[in-house]
Amino acid sequence: MATHPLTSTATRTNVQKASLAVGAVFLLVGVLGFVPGITAGMDQMHFAGHHSEAMLLGLFQVSALHNIVHLLFGAAGLFLARSAAGSRSFLLYGGVIYLVLFIYGLVVPQDSAGNFVPLNAFDNVLHLLLGVGMLGLALILTRGRNSVRS
């Protein structure tokens, strides 16, 4: 009976798997943001700004810039999942970024020029959940380790 060497998926840490999953979801969301039917009001999508009326899943206000950021964020998650340290950094700093976006969404009026992303109330709640979730994954999945192995 032949033995099979461990595949790269078998040697991934849990934090790497989490980074891969989060990155893949961001990539999916970025793509879906450009798909008519899944994103309503595609004809009203702007590159950036609060004037973009496109709504992903009918809830989340998106623009081309917003979708591109999701695609880049997803690519970063997949790329950084190559190491445990990179995965932890992606989840930790990504979580911080999303908490900052949550606060930004609360402070900046939705109809102002400062709302260039654009964000609405559903986006704000999602950013809070993403921020807390990503930080939690980074901390829980690397808990008790003096250093994250590369």
Side-chain angles (χ1 to χ4, degrees):
M1 184 163 147
T3 60
H4 298 285
L6 290 176
T7 63
S8 61
T9 57
T11 60
R12 287 191 182 118
T13 64
N14 286 335
V15 73
Q16 287 175 286
K17 292 173 187 175
S19 181
L20 281 171
V22 172
V25 169
F26 273 108
L27 279 175
L28 178 64
V29 168
V31 169
L32 293 178
F34 290 112
V35 176
I38 294 175
T39 299
M42 288 290 296
D43 58 330
Q44 298 170 4
M45 181 183 287
H46 292 262
F47 179 75
H50 69 280
H51 297 293
S52 183
E53 295 298 324
M55 302 292 280
L56 177 62
L57 302 174
L59 298 173
F60 305 101
Q61 189 176 7
V62 294
S63 65
L65 176 62
H66 204 150
N67 293 332
I68 291 167
V69 168
H70 287 145
L71 291 169
L72 292 173
F73 213 78
L78 297 181
F79 177 77
L80 291 169
R82 297 183 323 170
S83 72
S87 297
R88 183 179 191 275
S89 294
F90 169 72
L91 294 168
L92 185 68
Y93 296 118
V96 169
I97 289 168
Y98 272 95
L99 289 177
V100 168
L101 271 173
F102 166 68
I103 294 167
Y104 171 84
L106 294 178
V107 173
V108 175
Q110 289 182 6
D111 61 351
S112 77
N115 187 13
F116 66 93
V117 176
L119 303 172
N120 64 17
F122 289 107
D123 289 304
N124 291 338
V125 171
L126 182 60
H127 290 159
L128 174 62
L129 295 174
L130 282 169
V132 170
M134 290 175 76
L135 279 172
L137 286 170
L139 298 174
I140 291 168
L141 296 178
T142 59
R143 177 182 45 170
R145 298 178 187 204
N146 289 337
S147 65
V148 179
R149 76 170 197 206
S150 300

